[in-house]
Amino acid sequence: MDIRSRHNVMVTGRRDAPVVVLSHGFGCDQNMWRLVAPALAERFRVVLFDHLGAGGSDLSAWSPQRHATLAGYADDVLDVLRDLGLGPVTFVGHSVSSMIGVLAAVREPELFERLVLLAPSPCYIDDDTYRGGFTAADIEELLESLDSNYLGWSRAMAPVIMGNPERPELGAELTNSFCRTDPVIAGSFARATFLSDHRADLAGVTTPTLVLQCSRDAIAPLEVGGFVHAEVPGSTLVTLDATGHCPQLSAPEATAEAIIGFVESSR
């Protein structure tokens, strides 16, 4: 199976315009961008894809060895970009995909014109000088719960991640997305995500970067966005007036406007 089929790559928008690649987070697939992609496609060439193990990707291509760390997912991103031959691109990474994008851009910066890190977190676990939002015990409990009852974990965690309790349909959509993911693959990706620490990689980013965070996010607190902004040289920090960890669903217009503004202001 070729790379485009393996990752369920979809390309839309203007052929003669800058290329924007949208990369989804844990437990999701490219459908999470459906409210943002049309606005971007009016101005840009838009590329959507699924990480291996998610959505319409080729599940047989997922590897427990390659995908045990975020570096394996970064390798996949580089494979997709090389195969498309559309670079350099603006890479928009949501949640864990923001760090996947960082790793890929540090490795092959010539493929990246800009980075947009949407609700990023380089490390989820607190230490003496850093607030990631969770203790080590919190993460251990989260992973144990996921392993023991993935569907139950999904139903409990998705509304917390989404926020916006007054809009329960958003939490239900994320729950359904989680529940479509193979539990073994989800468990592996969760470990690669929540046990990772990529703080030291941020200083190696040479690509113009927008750090785009939500004003209220249970997964990536404001301190985390501030840390990423401080560590990525020359980056721009924008805080959306939005609640939850998935503003492409809860605040799609504001999310699209921020991405468009960043791309067009740096052309």
Side-chain angles (χ1 to χ4, degrees):
M1 181 176 288
D2 64 35
I3 289 173
R4 297 190 193 197
S5 298
R6 189 183 306 157
H7 288 276
N8 191 29
V9 174
M10 303 290 176
V11 183
T12 186
R14 293 174 48 191
R15 291 183 176 274
D16 59 343
V19 179
V20 175
V21 177
L22 302 176
S23 183
H24 65 83
F26 168 80
C28 304
D29 57 33
Q30 62 182 263
N31 189 56
M32 293 291 286
W33 295 107
R34 72 183 188 284
L35 301 181
V36 169
L40 299 180
E42 292 178 2
R43 293 172 167 83
F44 312 124
R45 193 76 165 149
V46 176
V47 176
L48 295 148
F49 72 99
D50 293 326
H51 287 298
L52 290 181
S57 70
D58 177 14
L59 299 187
S60 68
W62 178 84
S63 164
Q65 292 78 35
R66 178 182 176 102
H67 298 103
T69 68
L70 299 188
Y73 290 93
D75 287 338
D76 290 347
V77 166
L78 294 172
D79 286 346
V80 170
L81 296 185
R82 291 192 208 99
D83 184 71
L84 288 169
L86 295 175
V89 306
T90 296
F91 181 88
V92 183
H94 172 234
S95 190
V96 65
S97 269
S98 61
M99 290 304 109
I100 292 170
V102 163
L103 295 177
V106 168
R107 195 173 307 162
E108 296 195 27
E110 66 277 8
L111 294 178
F112 297 84
E113 190 168 14
R114 305 169 197 84
L115 287 177
V116 178
L117 310 181
L118 178 61
S121 180
C123 180
Y124 292 87
I125 299 176
D126 302 338
D127 63 24
D128 292 339
T129 60
Y130 171 82
R131 181 175 179 238
F134 300 86
T135 66
D138 290 335
I139 296 299
E140 182 179 355
E141 181 180 354
L142 181 152
L143 295 173
E144 287 178 354
S145 175
L146 186 153
D147 287 340
S148 64
N149 182 4
Y150 177 63
L151 294 181
W153 178 89
S154 298
R155 295 186 185 101
M157 282 298 298
V160 174
I161 294 169
M162 180 60 69
N164 297 276
E166 74 286 358
R167 300 167 68 187
E169 70 279 5
L170 296 179
E173 177 170 347
L174 190 59
T175 299
N176 291 334
S177 179
F178 281 9
C179 291
R180 288 194 300 269
T181 306
D182 178 273
V184 173
I185 294 175
S188 175
F189 197 11
R191 281 173 169 75
T193 299
F194 292 109
L195 297 177
S196 64
D197 184 350
H198 291 290
R199 288 176 287 180
D201 294 296
L202 298 174
V205 175
T206 58
T207 305
T209 300
L210 170 65
V211 180
L212 191 56
Q213 65 179 2
C214 293
S215 56
R216 296 167 297 282
D217 185 342
I219 303 300
L222 289 174
E223 294 93 334
V224 175
F227 178 89
V228 174
H229 170 51
E231 294 296 311
V232 175
S235 63
T236 301
L237 175 65
V238 171
T239 301
L240 299 172
D241 183 16
T243 299
H245 193 58
C246 303
Q248 68 269 56
L249 288 181
S250 62
E253 296 86 0
T255 302
E257 287 174 6
I259 295 169
I260 291 167
F262 179 63
V263 175
E264 294 191 338
S265 69
S266 55
R267 289 176 65 182

